């Protein structure tokens, strides 16, 4: 499956490790929430990039003690109608200050791509090559937004105020 990260289609550096599989000797690994929570102390002490697949029915506050040691959090969209991962992403970015990779995975519709970016996702695990290209384009499509979020973009109102202030000084 193609991975889009920061607006570019890239190779995935993370290897997904099943719950009952042995960990590879080195390299970036992606484990399930169950495996992570069962052995978080050991997993976070290893000197390798670590990621966790976090279901949308678990509270992200459970990850708070380890956020500085997680290189990747993959938030799951089990169906396109279930948007709880949007809220999880915003909480991770805006409340807990998570700066690692936030990856959307699962059933995401194309008209949700811009919302993924606005809510703090910087990567998307696409099911189809055409979706990967569409997501890449969506990351650059809009430059002004009405709604404020924690993605670093100023809202349209904030931009208007800046322009007005610059014009009057």
């Amino acid at each position: 499956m193609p991975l889009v990260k920061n607006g570019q289609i890239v190779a995935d550096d993370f290897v997904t490790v099943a719950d009952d599989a042995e960990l590879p000797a080195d390299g970036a690994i992606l484990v399930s929430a169950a495996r992570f929570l069962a052995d978080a102390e050991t997993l976070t002490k290893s000197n390798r990039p670590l990621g966790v697949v976090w279901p949308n029915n678990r509270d992200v506050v459970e990850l708070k003690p380890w956020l500085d040691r997680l290189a990747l959090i993959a938030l799951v969209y089990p169906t396109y109608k279930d948007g709880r991962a949007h809220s999880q992403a915003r909480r991770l970015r805006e409340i807990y200050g998570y700066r690692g990779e936030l990856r959307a995975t699962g059933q995401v519709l194309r008209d949700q791509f811009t919302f993924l970016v606005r809510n703090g996702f910087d990567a998307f695990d696409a099911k189809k090559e055409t979706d990967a290209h569409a997501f890449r384009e969506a990351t650059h499509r809009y430059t002004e937004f009405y709604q404020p979020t924690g993605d670093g973009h100023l809202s349209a109102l904030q931009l208007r105020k800046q322009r007005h202030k610059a014009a009057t000084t």
Side-chain angles (χ1 to χ4, degrees):
M1 294 184 285
L3 176 67
V4 183
K5 185 174 177 181
N6 296 318
Q8 301 297 320
I9 298 173
V10 298
D12 190 354
D13 294 334
F14 285 82
V15 174
T16 302
V17 181
D19 287 348
D20 57 352
E22 204 166 315
L23 295 176
D26 59 0
I29 58 170
L30 183 62
V31 297
S32 72
R35 183 167 188 168
F36 177 75
L37 292 173
D39 199 17
E41 287 302 322
T42 304
L43 289 168
T44 57
K45 286 180 183 173
S46 68
N47 193 19
R48 65 165 78 200
L50 173 64
V52 62
V53 178
W54 200 255
N56 70 354
N57 61 355
R58 291 195 76 112
D59 194 338
V60 293
V61 74
E62 294 179 75
L63 292 172
K64 190 176 177 185
W66 300 285
L67 288 178
D68 61 335
R69 291 175 266 171
L70 288 170
L72 162 66
I73 300 173
L75 299 176
V76 180
Y77 287 84
T79 71
Y80 69 90
K81 296 185 267 184
D82 190 340
R84 290 179 283 181
H86 286 296
S87 300
Q88 289 175 315
R90 287 198 64 178
R91 288 182 65 207
L92 284 166
R93 292 287 194 216
E94 296 172 27
I95 296 171
Y96 304 123
Y98 180 67
R99 294 293 160 237
E101 178 182 331
L102 268 184
R103 183 182 297 182
T105 185
Q107 303 297 316
V108 180
L109 297 177
R110 287 184 181 199
D111 60 352
Q112 296 171 321
F113 289 170
T114 300
F115 295 112
L116 291 177
V117 175
R118 294 287 291 154
N119 289 324
F121 287 98
D122 50 11
F124 173 57
D125 189 8
K127 301 292 181 222
K128 300 182 283 189
E129 189 77 28
T130 55
D131 284 346
H133 290 287
F135 183 74
R136 185 189 66 206
E137 292 170 14
T139 62
H140 304 293
R141 183 173 297 137
Y142 301 104
T143 58
E144 292 188 22
F145 301 93
Y146 289 110
Q147 304 85 2
T149 66
D151 68 353
H153 287 91
L154 297 176
S155 69
L157 177 61
Q158 292 167 319
L159 289 169
R160 278 191 214 113
K161 285 181 179 179
Q162 273 187 353
R163 291 181 196 129
H164 178 73
K165 185 176 181 180
T168 58
T169 57

